[in-house]
Amino acid sequence: LAKTTQPISMDSYEGQEVNITCSHNNIATNDYITWYQQFPSQGPRFIIQGYKTKVTNEVASLFIPADRKSSTLSLPRVSLSDTAVYYCLVGGGISSGSARQLTFGSGTQLTVLP
Amino acid sequence: EAQVTQNPRYLITVTGKKLTVTCSQNMNHEYMSWYRQDPGLGLRQIYYSMNVEVTDKGDVPEGYKVSRKEKRNFPLILESPSPNQTSLYFCASSRPPTGGGTEAFFGQGTRLTVV
């Protein structure tokens, strides 16, 4: 499984767009990039997943450059309730985001300020 | 509603007293797994199962047992709990990533304290 590197923490203000970048220099050809959100004492929650280029859903966008060695989770117009830890995971095959094997790093603690 | 349900949510027990934490999912998922989360150590996988009667060790299986007799249930068993198993436990389930990625669903967590 590819190792990921994320900032330990980030602060933002309500209404701003937040971009969290994850580095995964050793990503393999069949690896997917998956982001999870976790609130204190709750289970992680799937946010978004992608393989290349850009993926957008109702809560976030995921930008993946052509070399796929990094990815950026973009949260538009954050609110106080977006304060959480965000994890970037990389894995392929049976580890493509499945419960078979999820390797969580330290994540990024996002704090949204009023 | 699609969900993974763990019970109990909170448990305080004494060293050596066998306990079981239950996990049930209603999404007909083949894959299920257990994680523990500790401050400074993050989420670590204990055991996983790829289908009924198919289980295997994760990264930290010592002191734990699991069984998968039915597709929906994946209980975590601590035969003789010790204080170092005090932790926050999560169960997760997903379908296999056939043809692409997939997403895992997590339970609400079980906070276990062993004294």
Side-chain angles (χ1 to χ4, degrees):
Chain A
L1 296 171
K3 178 179 169 59
T4 60
T5 303
Q6 311 173 225
I8 294 174
S9 64
M10 293 180 69
D11 290 344
S12 182
Y13 291 95
E14 281 192 290
Q16 290 189 332
E17 177 184 77
V18 171
N19 295 309
I20 306 175
T21 296
C22 178
S23 297
H24 28 80
N25 291 318
N26 296 323
I27 191 168
T29 302
N30 65 341
D31 282 347
Y32 280 74
I33 301 156
T34 311
W35 286 80
Y36 282 82
Q37 174 193 56
Q38 186 179 25
F39 298 112
S41 297
Q42 293 188 27
R45 183 175 74 101
F46 173 91
I47 301 175
I48 198 166
Q49 183 178 72
Y51 182 79
K52 61 180 179 181
T53 63
K54 176 183 174 182
V55 179
T56 297
N57 61 22
E58 61 276 9
V59 298
S61 294
L62 179 60
F63 298 92
I64 306 169
D67 66 6
R68 304 201 325 124
K69 293 184 184 298
S70 67
S71 59
T72 299
L73 173 72
S74 181
L75 305 171
R77 297 180 299 282
V78 294
S79 64
L80 296 176
S81 62
D82 293 316
T83 294
V85 177
Y86 292 82
Y87 296 96
C88 165
L89 285 73
V90 173
I94 56 175
S95 301
S96 303
S98 81
R100 156 64 180 85
Q101 185 172 28
L102 295 169
T103 300
F104 289 85
S106 302
T108 298
Q109 171 65 59
L110 172 65
T111 301
V112 180
L113 305 168
Chain B
E1 178 190 355
Q3 60 185 3
V4 177
T5 303
Q6 295 178 226
N7 280 296
R9 293 291 311 279
Y10 302 92
L11 179 61
I12 300 175
T13 189
V14 296
T15 299
K17 184 177 181 181
K18 181 179 178 180
L19 66 91
T20 299
V21 183
T22 64
C23 174
S24 180
Q25 50 94 4
N26 63 359
M27 296 165 280
N28 202 37
H29 285 164
E30 288 84 353
Y31 289 6
M32 297 186 74
S33 57
W34 277 101
Y35 294 81
R36 62 178 288 175
Q37 186 168 33
D38 303 287
L41 296 176
L43 282 144
R44 296 177 292 169
Q45 190 181 55
I46 304 171
Y47 267 94
Y48 65 89
S49 169
M50 296 175 73
N51 215 324
V52 175
E53 302 292 3
V54 180
T55 64
D56 209 343
K57 297 177 180 179
D59 299 319
V60 289
E62 294 78 21
Y64 304 94
K65 286 176 56 177
V66 292
S67 69
R68 188 91 181 273
K69 292 181 171 33
E70 306 166 281
K71 198 172 187 179
R72 64 183 293 125
N73 296 321
F74 190 44
L76 179 69
I77 303 158
L78 285 73
E79 294 271 4
S80 182
S82 63
N84 65 12
Q85 292 178 297
T86 292
S87 186
L88 180 57
Y89 291 86
F90 292 104
C91 179
S93 76
S94 76
R95 61 170 178 79
T98 51
T102 186
E103 67 175 278
F105 294 79
F106 283 79
Q108 323 94 298
T110 296
R111 187 168 293 281
L112 172 66
T113 302
V114 183
V115 298

